[in-house]
Amino acid sequence: MKQWLLPWVLGSLITLATPLVAETTTNSIDPLCSDAELWSGKLITDICWSCLFPIHAAGASLGGGNVPSIATDEKFCFCTDPMGIPQLGMTMGLWNPARLVEIVRNPWCSPALGGHKFSASNVRLIATTGKADFDASEMSFFNYHYFAFPLTILLDLFWDGRCNSDGYRDFDLLYVSELDPTWNSDLLAFFTSPETALFANPVAISACVADAAAAATGNPLDALFWCAGAWGHMYPLSGISPTSYGTDPRITSLLATRATASLHRRGLAWKTSGNDALCGGTIYPFIPKSQYRLSMFYPVAETQSNHAIGETTFNWGAGRTYPGPGEDHLYLLWRWQDCCVGL
């Protein structure tokens, strides 16, 4: 190519490419479907790695931190191999980042997947668009997506095969609320959890004050499974909640907890702590709150600590949301795992 043609060709290419670049940039910045940049350097920098501790091995503790009240008190254990032969092992327990829950305003929008909508059609859309109204007299509704997120396995960190109670080894989409009609209706949610009627009274609701006080110290009360501490009432297990001024971390934390509780109710989430879970997870119809802790990953990550279910947002929630893209929230769900490690 002759030298006098080169500037003209380059100029033409730049002119043709400019609208495409502008369109791509415009589409990637969508305030209604934000990108959490999960699969980036934030996977290392925005995780509370100290929250893995304490680690319990054969009754000995390494590191400080909260241990759930239902954790195992055994030092040694027996589990059968695939041939049915019992094998001796020692107990081990730690906080494991096991799930990722995203609470979104718009159906099918997934900040964890780069801000993309993973459904091109709304034909099977049963739920509705989430709301973040600024009128405290109205109700808000958000969809959720529940991912398997075994971070210690994904990063090939130390983990024994027996300690993977549910078998998930990859990042997997486990549940979407858009296809769940009970998430959009308090009435339908009642039929899947009829015990709601037992706790819809002033006595049961007032008992949640004790749970809120206990959660503030990092130790929620499992016996009060109908309470979510300072966040509100666990029932009904739906995505509808009294709104506040904007998207409040309290509301999104409550809905992430309700989502986990509803999966426990259906046998899709398991109990992984305690003596009965040493050889594998067990079905537990009511959420064991002390087994879980949450840390916000997006929009403003908790990198130094995580928080208990029901723990007041005065301890952790200040400045963790902002209008627009910051109204979709991602939470890393930490789960205490007790297991029997073979000797």
Side-chain angles (χ1 to χ4, degrees):
M1 182 180 295
K2 295 187 178 181
Q3 293 183 352
W4 63 272
L5 285 176
L6 185 59
W8 180 83
V9 172
L10 291 176
S12 300
L13 291 175
I14 293 174
T15 301
L16 291 173
T18 299
L20 297 176
V21 172
E23 182 179 355
T24 303
T25 304
T26 302
N27 291 337
S28 63
I29 303 176
D30 185 359
L32 300 181
C33 190
S34 51
D35 179 9
E37 300 179 12
L38 175 64
W39 303 106
S40 66
K42 291 185 177 181
L43 194 62
I44 304 299
T45 61
D46 288 10
I47 301 292
C48 176
W49 295 107
S50 61
C51 295
L52 289 169
F53 297 94
I55 297 176
H56 280 193
S61 181
L62 173 63
N66 290 75
V67 178
S69 57
I70 57 176
T72 182
D73 55 359
E74 300 289 342
K75 296 181 180 179
F76 298 96
C77 50
F78 285 94
C79 288
T80 57
D81 63 11
M83 300 297 294
I85 301 174
Q87 293 185 344
L88 177 65
M90 69 175 184
T91 61
M92 177 170 287
L94 78 161
W95 289 106
N96 179 35
R99 297 290 184 265
L100 188 73
V101 188
E102 57 182 13
I103 308 297
V104 295
R105 297 161 293 166
N106 293 284
W108 303 117
C109 169
S110 179
L113 298 179
H116 297 288
K117 291 189 174 183
F118 51 78
S119 176
S121 172
N122 287 333
V123 174
R124 299 187 64 190
L125 180 62
I126 299 178
T128 61
T129 302
K131 300 177 181 178
D133 296 322
F134 292 89
D135 185 351
S137 65
E138 298 183 7
M139 305 297 285
S140 60
F141 173 79
F142 297 86
N143 284 292
Y144 78 89
H145 308 133
Y146 198 82
F147 294 90
F149 195 66
L151 189 58
T152 54
I153 297 177
L154 289 172
L155 298 180
D156 199 21
L157 299 176
F158 167 76
W159 198 250
D160 187 271
R162 292 187 185 178
C163 293
N164 187 8
S165 61
D166 48 28
Y168 289 104
R169 297 181 176 273
D170 299 299
F171 179 71
D172 293 297
L173 178 61
L174 302 183
Y175 204 90
V176 293
S177 64
E178 287 86 348
L179 299 180
D180 183 358
T182 66
W183 187 251
N184 191 35
S185 170
D186 288 344
L187 180 60
L188 292 178
F190 169 79
F191 288 107
T192 61
S193 53
E195 70 274 8
T196 303
L198 298 176
F199 310 119
N201 59 78
V203 176
I205 294 175
S206 61
C208 295
V209 175
D211 185 54
T217 64
N219 300 287
L221 302 177
D222 289 333
L224 303 180
F225 58 87
W226 63 90
C227 301
W231 302 344
H233 208 268
M234 191 77 72
Y235 291 94
L237 299 178
S238 70
I240 302 172
S241 175
T243 191
S244 61
Y245 295 99
T247 304
D248 190 341
R250 178 190 63 83
I251 293 179
T252 55
S253 295
L254 173 63
L255 297 184
T257 305
R258 283 185 179 178
T260 306
S262 68
L263 295 180
H264 267 280
R265 196 70 179 86
R266 298 165 188 176
L268 301 177
W270 293 354
K271 181 173 177 285
T272 61
S273 55
N275 295 334
D276 56 343
L278 289 173
C279 298
T282 59
I283 293 178
Y284 202 77
F286 301 106
I287 180 172
K289 294 183 296 183
S290 63
Q291 173 182 285
Y292 295 105
R293 295 181 72 86
L294 292 165
S295 64
M296 180 178 283
F297 182 86
Y298 178 85
V300 182
E302 292 179 78
T303 59
Q304 302 300 320
S305 64
N306 52 23
H307 55 274
I309 288 180
E311 184 175 344
T312 174
T313 53
F314 286 109
N315 292 349
W316 62 272
R320 298 203 179 275
T321 188
Y322 50 84
E327 293 186 283
D328 294 326
H329 293 173
L330 264 71
Y331 290 96
L332 188 60
L333 187 65
W334 298 77
R335 185 178 65 186
W336 181 267
Q337 175 73 61
D338 282 320
C339 56
C340 185
V341 179
L343 296 176

